[in-house]
Amino acid sequence: MARDSPRRALLSTVRVLLVGGAGNAGRRAAAELLRHEEVDALTLSARREDVAARIARLLGGRNGKVATLGLDVTDRAALVQAAGGHDVVVSCAGPASEVELPAIQGCIEAGTPYVSLCDDHEATVASFELDDAAKGAGVTVVSGCGLSPGITNILIAYAAQTLARVEEVEAAVAYSLNDSPGDATMFHLLRELSRDAPYVSEFQSAQGKAGDLPRPVYFPEPVGWVETFTCGHPEPLTAPRVFPHLRAMRFRAGLTERAAMDALRAIAASRMRGTRATHPGGRLLRAPVRMLRSLPPRGATWTAGRVDVWGERDGRAEVVSLGVVDHIANLASVPLAYVAVAIGNGSVVKPGVSTIEQVFEPGPFLGALARRGLRAARLTPEIFEAR
């Protein structure tokens, strides 16, 4: 439940506006939202309404629950008008660096709660500057509700509950290019490898070269060992808000397709040197990046996350390691939909701009994910069972 938060009257039904509904993440989020009985109406939006209508037909219309809308999320007036008729706005739109702030600003103006998959660390930090405005409008904003950030944050918070003091944290994600039919994973990794990565060292926030410090990390099977590298992500910037005495933290990422990861790092390095052809999403980049899927050897077509939290318990040093593995579509959509429904129906209210672990208690959250088929586990025999 929300921490130290007022509650509004619970709604028996929830009206959801889904922005960015035409992409792979958006389509899966739409299907997951419709699995929740509380969702009585879903407006699926895309830049072109005919595209949104096609996705709605693929969803089968769901007995008239699904409406469609052509919407550019950066068009503030249009977003305010659309958001005003809904209980919550859910964003799968991207890139987050371009859409996250306009979307939050529009929802604050409309007075409608907002949740997103934002995984851009610069956009995340900028969103905190809207905290006072969101609190003044009584609007709950939770940015980063997928796998990472999202589940990773919750796993860190759960591990921290078993320790008297948290000292160091490392979060890592293993992606598979063949786990998603689109290019979003590749372009996200490329962007994050092409700029400095935030981290925490000796209690201070810092930035360093991404794509550096290679290290193999073991993820839950069937992923197994994956070589990971430092990578830009929101977690090293948001964790100190929750753990102000954190001494060190890094985020790492890798591809289960090793050759593809090497190629992406090379492309990112050339982009940092200013090569024009390596702009993520650019026409000159799309063809070679898509070819990366076929490079051997191929890894497991699953996505996994892992957190390691070092601290102290009963006067002794201890590390708690937790992990999760599934397909990226589920790892993104299941937590996003759960957060959206909980906030949309009024069971969770926390005005302001927050990270997911500032709003939800980790144990009940992990139990809720388990009931939806996502089971996180200690990297020892204990498993979170649905209850």
Side-chain angles (χ1 to χ4, degrees):
M1 67 177 64
R3 302 176 178 179
D4 301 322
S5 304
R7 289 181 174 231
R8 63 183 173 90
L10 290 181
L11 301 175
S12 58
T13 59
V14 180
R15 300 163 298 169
V16 179
L17 170 62
L18 175 63
V19 299
N24 294 311
R27 294 197 296 271
R28 181 64 183 86
E32 182 63 28
L33 284 162
L34 290 169
R35 289 181 63 200
H36 286 260
E37 294 180 356
E38 301 95 325
V39 176
D40 181 63
L42 173 67
T43 301
L44 194 152
S45 76
R47 287 180 180 270
R48 291 171 42 190
E49 186 169 5
D50 63 317
V51 174
R54 185 171 70 248
I55 302 302
R57 287 195 294 273
L58 291 175
L59 292 170
R62 298 300 175 97
N63 299 322
K65 285 187 177 182
V66 183
T68 59
L69 179 68
L71 178 66
D72 179 350
V73 72
T74 64
D75 183 338
R76 188 161 172 172
L79 177 59
V80 170
Q81 181 178 5
H86 296 83
D87 301 306
V88 63
V89 173
V90 179
S91 177
C92 296
S97 58
E98 298 177 10
V99 304
E100 186 72 353
L101 288 184
I104 294 174
Q105 290 167 338
C107 287
I108 290 173
E109 184 174 340
T112 306
Y114 173 84
V115 301
S116 77
L117 288 177
C118 176
D119 52 13
D120 183 279
H121 62 269
E122 292 176 350
T124 298
V125 171
S127 72
F128 294 149
E129 298 178 5
L130 300 173
D131 184 54
D132 287 342
K135 287 178 178 175
V139 173
T140 299
V141 175
V142 186
S143 178
C145 301
L147 166 60
S148 174
I151 295 176
T152 52
N153 303 57
I154 292 291
L155 292 177
I156 293 167
Y158 184 87
Q161 288 184 336
T162 69
L163 300 171
R165 183 176 72 251
V166 173
E167 297 177 348
E168 297 185 24
V169 176
E170 183 171 276
V173 173
Y175 299 100
S176 168
L177 297 184
N178 293 299
D179 188 28
S180 173
D183 297 332
T185 297
M186 282 185 282
F187 288 128
H188 170 64
L189 263 180
L190 182 55
R191 176 175 173 80
E192 297 306 333
L193 290 168
S194 302
R195 52 182 177 164
D196 286 343
Y199 64 95
V200 177
S201 177
E202 296 304 325
F203 309 101
Q204 300 295 319
S205 293
Q207 290 193 339
K209 182 176 180 294
D212 208 355
L213 304 178
R215 185 167 68 78
V217 172
Y218 182 80
F219 294 91
E221 295 293 346
V223 173
W225 289 100
V226 175
E227 186 172 39
T228 64
F229 303 84
T230 56
C231 186
H233 237 244
E235 288 94 326
L237 295 172
T238 60
R241 292 165 59 92
V242 182
F243 308 106
H245 304 296
L246 188 64
R247 184 168 69 85
M249 179 171 185
R250 285 190 183 273
F251 179 86
R252 312 180 66 85
L255 287 173
T256 64
E257 299 88 3
R258 171 66 184 273
M261 186 66 185
D262 290 342
L264 274 183
R265 289 175 61 227
I267 295 171
S270 67
R271 180 172 183 260
M272 292 189 77
R273 293 193 296 268
T275 305
R276 179 168 167 261
T278 57
H279 176 71
R283 290 181 180 178
L284 295 178
L285 192 62
R286 288 187 179 274
V289 165
R290 286 175 178 169
M291 289 176 60
L292 299 182
R293 295 181 188 277
S294 61
L295 290 176
R298 300 185 183 185
T301 56
W302 296 80
T303 298
R306 170 177 176 146
V307 303
D308 296 278
V309 181
W310 289 266
E312 180 183 297
R313 180 165 62 180
D314 299 328
R316 295 178 300 176
E318 185 164 334
V319 58
V320 181
S321 300
L322 304 168
V324 64
V325 60
D326 208 297
H327 293 298
I328 186 62
N330 298 327
L331 292 166
S333 65
V334 173
L336 179 69
Y338 176 76
V339 171
V341 171
I343 290 174
N345 70 13
S347 61
V348 171
V349 179
K350 191 178 189 302
V353 179
S354 304
T355 56
I356 193 170
E357 76 274 30
Q358 292 178 301
V359 180
F360 291 87
E361 293 290 345
F365 192 93
L366 291 170
L369 295 191
R371 289 192 295 274
R372 293 279 168 179
L374 285 186
R375 287 177 170 81
R378 286 186 185 274
L379 299 182
T380 57
E382 181 179 338
I383 296 176
F384 297 103
E385 296 292 349
R387 47 185 181 275

